[in-house]
Amino acid sequence: MSKLTRQVAVLAVSVATAAVLVACGGRDEPAAAPVSAASGPTGVPVPDAAASAGKPALTVSVVVPQRSDWSRTLSANGSIAPWQESIVSAEQGGYRLAEVLVNVGDRVKRGQVLARMAVDTVQVELAATRAALAETEATLAEAQANAERARQLQTTGAISAQQINQYITAEKTARARLQAQRARLQSDELRLRKTTIAAPDDGVISARLATVGAVAGNGQELFRLIRGGRLEWRAEVTAAELSQIRTGMQAELQLPDGSTTAGRVRMVAPTVDPQTRNGLVYVDLTAAQAGASAAVRAGMFARGEFALGSTPALTLPQAAVALRDGFQYAFALESEAAPGLWRVKQAKLQLGRRLADRVEVTGGLAPDARVVAQGVGFLTDGDLVRVVDGTPAAAAAPARPASR
């Protein structure tokens, strides 16, 4: 090996040794603590408390739970049905329907003609009855005259007592026949009137089975009528909830098209279905009339709420609540690490009602807790946050989650 080669090898070993020593020396030196621009009494820089506490995860604003009176409601499902539905039938059968004057959805008044039957047969029978009545009246007049003469001759002995009795009996018989004919005339006139089908009450026609030309049977259903056009909501509630509802309570229904309508409890069912263990609540829909609006129709399914009164509630904005693993959490300020810097404590909440953008807290949080208002989805338990809500952090006592 030449002299030049040996010198290059020695130089390479020296450079490698120096690099190792420098590296080892860098690891052994302690890291300098962060210092602030201010100096202590001796002129030595003082470590910054905020820097030593760590870097904040978020800059946040805080809120305090609010107490307010919230209305208490009970939700239920049910169907909309007519208050009462009348069945309009043919009171006599065997006659052909000559006219049908209404259709489904028509509003009718009490006594309004809905349909007419053919009256030819009834009119012929009525004419025959009137003729028989006139004949009976003539027979009675003759019998009365004979009986009167017999009474006048009774004291003279011109006719026997037997003949007198016969004239008087004939008079009574003629009078009875006249009464029978008059009753038959009234019956035929009633049959004629019943060939006209009239509405029994004000309302809306909900079904029509009558057809022109069909022969109606006795008692056959021809129309269905929603009385007064009144509709009701028949809500199903559990047996436990049934006791909370009283007659006269207000209710609000959410209709399928997204609109709402008001109602009032008319009656609470006195029994509970033994199969479902549910009871019915009958709610009059005060503003809804059958056929008046396409939004409310009999047979619809609707969801509604009963107003049970108001109760105090401790509430938070929904943005202050985080959902994790099926549970709800809030982050409350626990301890101050430095001016304006706080550590947060994760609090598991128990929630109740929701109203607009606020939610009721029923457990898990102290009423005076200071809670992170937004961005809670980026926080974890023990994180450091910078508070910029404008309220001096030192002025408020540290708030801890309420024990469960």
Side-chain angles (χ1 to χ4, degrees):
M1 181 181 297
S2 65
K3 182 177 181 180
L4 179 59
T5 303
R6 286 196 301 270
Q7 289 177 348
V8 171
V10 171
L11 180 59
V13 172
S14 300
V15 171
T17 303
V20 171
L21 292 175
V22 170
C24 293
R27 284 197 302 267
D28 293 339
E29 288 182 2
V35 296
S36 64
S39 300
T42 60
V44 179
V46 179
D48 191 342
S52 61
K55 184 178 180 180
L58 285 177
T59 299
V60 300
S61 59
V62 296
V63 294
V64 178
Q66 294 181 1
R67 286 197 177 274
S68 57
D69 287 337
W70 275 17
S71 59
R72 190 163 61 95
T73 60
L74 174 64
S75 298
N77 298 320
S79 298
I80 297 174
W83 164 62
Q84 286 184 358
E85 197 169 28
S86 298
I87 298 177
V88 183
S89 304
E91 295 187 53
Q92 57 184 350
Y95 298 103
R96 177 177 53 85
L97 287 172
E99 290 181 284
V100 178
L101 305 176
V102 294
N103 211 332
V104 174
D106 290 348
R107 300 191 71 86
V108 297
K109 297 292 185 180
R110 182 175 185 177
Q112 180 176 333
V113 177
L114 307 181
R116 289 189 177 94
M117 296 180 178
V119 296
D120 300 345
T121 304
V122 181
Q123 287 178 337
V124 169
E125 293 174 352
L126 180 60
T129 302
R130 285 173 177 166
L133 177 62
E135 181 181 359
T136 305
E137 288 175 343
T139 302
L140 176 61
E142 181 182 4
Q144 286 177 333
N146 293 336
E148 184 62 27
R149 286 193 297 269
R151 291 188 186 95
Q152 293 176 355
L153 297 174
Q154 185 175 8
T155 57
T156 63
I159 58 175
S160 65
Q162 182 179 4
Q163 290 178 322
I164 294 173
N165 288 335
Q166 288 176 350
Y167 288 132
I168 294 175
T169 302
E171 178 190 18
K172 292 180 179 179
T173 301
R175 183 176 289 108
R177 288 175 179 172
L178 177 62
Q179 292 175 349
Q181 286 296 330
R182 285 175 177 172
R184 182 176 178 182
L185 177 64
Q186 291 177 350
S187 175
D188 288 346
E189 289 175 344
L190 180 61
R191 287 171 56 202
L192 181 62
R193 289 196 298 270
K194 286 185 177 180
T195 58
T196 300
I197 311 299
D201 199 356
D202 297 350
V204 178
I205 301 296
S206 60
R208 191 196 87 168
L209 302 179
T211 305
V212 174
V215 177
N218 188 20
Q220 177 184 344
E221 178 183 335
L222 301 178
F223 304 95
R224 282 180 181 254
L225 176 73
I226 300 176
R227 293 189 60 196
R230 288 174 55 183
L231 298 176
E232 66 182 12
W233 178 48
R234 297 175 183 176
E236 290 190 19
V237 298
T238 63
E241 296 169 339
L242 203 62
S243 60
Q244 304 179 46
I245 301 176
R246 299 287 183 273
T247 301
M249 276 186 175
Q250 295 292 333
E252 186 177 70
L253 271 70
Q254 190 76 31
L255 301 176
D257 67 348
S259 61
T260 60
T261 186
R264 184 183 295 272
V265 176
R266 176 175 61 86
M267 182 181 68
V268 179
T271 59
V272 174
D273 190 322
Q275 303 297 327
T276 63
R277 306 300 178 185
N278 290 337
L280 288 179
V281 180
Y282 299 89
V283 179
D284 277 334
L285 303 182
T286 53
Q289 292 290 324
S293 171
V296 185
R297 295 192 181 276
M300 279 184 173
F301 178 83
R303 180 175 178 81
E305 293 182 341
F306 297 96
L308 303 181
S310 61
T311 55
L314 187 69
T315 68
L316 281 176
Q318 292 194 22
V321 179
L323 177 63
R324 293 178 182 172
D325 301 327
F327 298 98
Q328 290 83 20
Y329 298 92
F331 290 87
L333 303 187
E334 182 183 30
S335 60
E336 189 175 16
L341 296 180
W342 286 76
R343 295 215 175 266
V344 295
K345 177 70 173 179
Q346 179 176 276
K348 187 176 181 180
L349 304 179
Q350 299 172 17
L351 302 183
R353 297 166 285 176
R354 296 178 185 270
L355 181 63
D357 62 342
R358 300 193 70 84
V359 61
E360 179 186 15
V361 179
T362 59
L365 190 69
D368 58 348
R370 300 180 70 214
V371 179
V372 176
Q374 292 182 340
V376 292
F378 301 100
L379 295 177
T380 58
D381 191 22
D383 275 353
L384 188 68
V385 297
R386 184 181 300 278
V387 178
V388 294
D389 60 342
T391 304
R400 300 179 180 274
S403 58
R404 299 186 60 196

